[in-house]
Structures are given as structure tokens and as C-alpha cells.
Amino acid sequence: MFKKPKQQTKQRGQGMVEYIIIVALIAIAGIAAFGYFGQTVKHQVAGMAAELSGGSGTAEVANAVTTAQSAATVAATKNKMGTYTDQNTK
């Protein structure tokens, strides 16, 4: 009886593709953040999970503090081209 114009169908598909692209970019940013902050975030998440389950997350929070301090120490060191490859072994 009444058919939708093709232009309206194409616009709806375009909106969905834009939404998928935005969600993918947010997911990539989240993965990059977890990868960048590494062990500190992992220990903090483990501590929160332990606390939510009724246990004690004190050990994981202490581990998070330790890894954050070691990351700050590594970040404070000055690297040159000669020492660039050595920082991946720490």
C-alpha cells in the first residue's frame, strides 16, 4: 500500500553506522586506558571486586599503591635514544 521512500531508509542505516562507530571508539579508548595504566587499574578493580563480594580488598589496594609508585618512578626517569629499549624490560 504505502511504501517508505528509499531516502528515509538510507538515513536510518547511516545513523546506525555512526552509532556503531562511536561505540567502537569508546571501547577502543577503554581498552587503551586499561592497557596504559596496566597493573594499577587491575589491582584496584580486583580490590573493589573483593570488597563487593564481602571480603577484604586491602591487599589488592596495597598492590595498586605499590605499582602506581613504581610506575611514577619509571615515568620520572629521563630516557634517551640509547636507553629506549631498556625500559621495556622493567
Side-chain angles (χ1 to χ4, degrees):
M1 299 235 251
F2 179 73
K3 292 185 175 181
K4 291 183 180 179
K6 285 192 173 200
Q7 182 67 20
Q8 185 179 7
T9 306
K10 286 182 181 180
Q11 286 178 353
R12 236 191 264 175
Q14 178 184 358
M16 181 61 74
V17 169
E18 290 172 354
Y19 176 73
I20 290 170
I21 290 172
I22 290 170
V23 169
L25 289 174
I26 291 171
I28 290 170
I31 291 168
F34 266 91
Y36 183 73
F37 294 112
Q39 294 297 319
T40 304
V41 174
K42 290 177 187 176
H43 286 299
Q44 288 178 342
V45 171
M48 286 186 286
E51 291 286 337
L52 286 173
S53 67
S56 175
T58 308
E60 291 300 329
V61 172
N63 287 337
V65 170
T66 304
T67 54
Q69 289 170 344
S70 66
T73 303
V74 171
T77 60
K78 293 184 180 181
N79 292 311
K80 299 178 182 177
M81 291 301 284
T83 59
Y84 179 75
T85 56
D86 295 335
Q87 63 184 322
N88 292 330
T89 60
K90 295 178 182 177

